[in-house]
Amino acid sequence: QANLSKKERKETELPFPVNLMNILSCGKYEHIISWTPDGTSFEVHKPKALVEKVLPQYFKKKLQFSSFNRKLYRWGFIKLFRGSHVG
């Protein structure tokens, strides 16, 4: 999906969780966003790079980091405040 034109992406955009899983699974962006060592959650290391370099490759609409967070909450993701995966 990352190599598609904007028109093709618009016509074939996948649901948010599928795109997120593709981003996390490809391994190309591990310095920006990655799974935690135990694989039960993920961590965004560089929010600005996520918005500028990664998200435009997977989503037709330009997303700000706050919009990305809203989508996460809408799909049932939660932010951890305690434990080894705080963030």
Side-chain angles (χ1 to χ4, degrees), residues 9 49-60 62:
R9 267 199 314 267
L50 179 71
V51 169
E52 293 175 356
K53 297 179 181 178
V54 181
L55 299 182
Q57 300 296 315
Y58 290 86
F59 298 98
K60 64 182 177 183
K62 182 174 172 146

Side-chain angles (χ1 to χ4, degrees), residues 66-84:
S66 59
S67 300
F68 176 75
N69 278 327
R70 278 193 298 276
K71 283 188 175 280
L72 288 171
Y73 291 125
R74 218 175 295 139
W75 280 93
F77 290 86
I78 58 170
K79 185 173 182 176
L80 298 176
F81 294 97
R82 290 187 215 167
S84 60

Side-chain angles (χ1 to χ4, degrees), residues 14-71:
L14 299 170
F16 179 82
V18 174
N19 276 331
L20 178 59
M21 182 62 107
N22 289 338
I23 291 167
L24 288 163
S25 298
C26 78
K28 184 177 177 181
Y29 307 109
E30 288 181 344
H31 62 290
I32 298 172
I33 182 172
S34 67
W35 291 108
T36 56
D38 67 4
T40 61
S41 58
F42 67 90
E43 185 175 356
V44 177
H45 310 289
K46 298 180 180 178
K48 185 176 179 184
L50 179 71
V51 169
E52 293 175 356
K53 297 179 181 178
V54 181
L55 299 182
Q57 300 296 315
Y58 290 86
F59 298 98
K60 64 182 177 183
K61 185 177 178 185
K62 182 174 172 146
L63 290 177
Q64 297 300 319
F65 192 68
S66 59
S67 300
F68 176 75
N69 278 327
R70 278 193 298 276
K71 283 188 175 280

Side-chain angles (χ1 to χ4, degrees), residues 1 4-13 56-57:
Q1 176 133 3
L4 298 176
S5 71
K6 283 187 177 186
K7 182 180 178 187
E8 291 169 321
R9 267 199 314 267
K10 184 176 181 182
E11 294 170 355
T12 62
E13 182 155 7
Q57 300 296 315

